[in-house]
Amino acid sequence: MTISEAPRLVGDERIDVVPISYPDPGAGQLLLRVRANALCGSDRGAWAHGADVVPGHELAGEVVAAGPETRTSVGTRGVVYLMVFCGRCRNCRRGMTNLCLDKQGDVGFNRDGGLGPFVLVEERVFFAVDDDVPFALATMLLDVMGTSGHALDRAERLLPDVGSIHVVGAGPVGLGTLVMARIRYGDDVPIAVSDVSPERLGLAASLGATVAVAPHEVGSLEPVDLAVDSSGRTEARAAALAGLRKPGVLVCVGHGQELHLDVSRDLIATERAVIGSEYFPYGDLERNLELLRDHRDAVARVITHTFDVAELAGAFTTFLGGGSGKVVVTQDGVAR
Ligand SMILES: [Zn+2]
Ligand SMILES: [Zn+2]
């Protein structure tokens, strides 16, 4: 057992540092020393209301102990897939680990996560990353590249020749969608981005958005083949749907509010589709690692701030202020 101090969010934007005991890894488990963890919009609840476990689900680290029946050696670097999928159910066998029917937990939500010094995980949710990829950059394989890449995959099943895109919301997943779409479709495909934050619109423009507009200007955009909503807002989704060509696809990635459909107008007469996309299959990590290696600089620009874990409060304030890109919390000053 390893006892180490970890930040506990107790609500009202307060952090207590408390000793946490990390058990030795059991069969099939790895103990990781966390080196970097990116903050996510879904950490907002823990910051405001507290959490029973140490939050953090976009983490990279290195293996410091490996339990029996594992093949990963101590010292291996890698990232952790949020969902502790079973690996055996029908969906896992189909590669849909993001829809596991017998999920054992979610790292950082009901198991101690990446804002602490260590994380104990099942080997099957660990994904090894080469030593030349810095830890902070490696965290981009998760929500930023993974979630947005899967959203594009989902859309392509219905619309293989995407010619224009509207990214709704320029938070980390929206910016990730912008970057992944640029990588995938090249410079000639117009990509519009809309968001309430002028800072984030500026960031979107610097990351390759063709046009970056406030929500009230969305009606003036050219119609697009594909809209990806990461805002989770009813109005934004409705506007995105209304701005689709026929046919067109709206992929909802951001959890949040409702969307009301006039089925005849919105779906039948226009042959549009509204689909959801949840996290991403574990198997996508392989492809996304290759993309990360080939487009390292473009992906790295999604990270706008890096804080040592000692400055965790500042990291949260900066990130939840809504004007940043991805904020990464590092440990031991290792942001390599
Ligand atoms: Zn996240
Ligand atoms: Zn499963």
Side-chain angles (χ1 to χ4, degrees), residues 21-211:
S21 54
Y22 293 93
D24 294 331
Q29 290 184 319
L30 305 172
L31 184 69
L32 306 190
R33 177 76 175 95
V34 178
R35 296 300 186 189
N37 183 96
L39 297 185
C40 177
S42 60
D43 295 323
R44 186 182 292 274
W47 182 235
H49 307 298
D52 296 334
V53 298
V54 177
H57 60 273
E58 299 185 38
L59 71 107
E62 60 195 304
V63 176
V64 290
E69 298 162 38
T70 56
R71 290 157 313 211
T72 310
S73 25
V74 168
T76 306
R77 300 158 62 130
V79 294
V80 171
Y81 182 85
L82 152 70
M83 299 175 172
V84 186
F85 56 89
C86 76
R88 294 179 307 268
C89 73
R90 179 162 186 253
N91 284 348
C92 282
R93 282 187 277 116
R94 296 153 103 189
M96 301 173 174
T97 56
N98 53 325
L99 301 177
C100 174
L101 300 169
D102 191 20
K103 191 167 65 165
Q104 332 263 283
D106 288 317
V107 176
F109 290 98
N110 46 36
R111 296 174 167 215
D112 287 328
L115 292 176
F118 297 98
V119 162
L120 182 70
V121 290
E122 277 62 21
E123 186 182 39
R124 64 180 175 279
V125 305
F126 176 76
F127 178 77
V129 171
D130 321 69
D131 291 354
D132 65 328
V133 179
F135 289 114
L137 186 62
T139 66
M140 296 298 101
L141 288 167
L142 300 164
D143 291 28
V144 169
M145 298 184 76
T147 303
S148 55
H150 182 54
L152 297 176
D153 289 343
R154 298 267 301 140
E156 278 183 23
R157 287 193 203 157
L158 295 163
L159 208 65
D161 58 339
V162 173
S164 52
I165 303 172
H166 175 197
V167 177
V168 185
V173 170
L175 294 175
T177 304
L178 166 62
V179 169
M180 291 296 267
R182 266 285 164 258
I183 289 171
R184 194 180 291 209
Y185 305 118
D187 289 338
D188 295 337
V189 167
I191 306 177
V193 177
S194 58
D195 196 281
V196 291
S197 155
E199 291 93 344
R200 283 187 163 164
L201 290 178
L203 199 50
S206 76
L207 287 170
T210 314
V211 51

Side-chain angles (χ1 to χ4, degrees), residues 313-336:
F316 268 105
T317 312
T318 300
F319 180 63
L320 297 176
S324 72
K326 210 64 171 164
V327 172
V328 179
V329 176
T330 58
Q331 303 208 26
D332 280 351
V334 183
R336 292 182 285 124

Side-chain angles (χ1 to χ4, degrees), residues 31 61 186 234 284 290 297:
L31 184 69
T234 297
D284 288 2
E290 264 176 52
D297 293 345

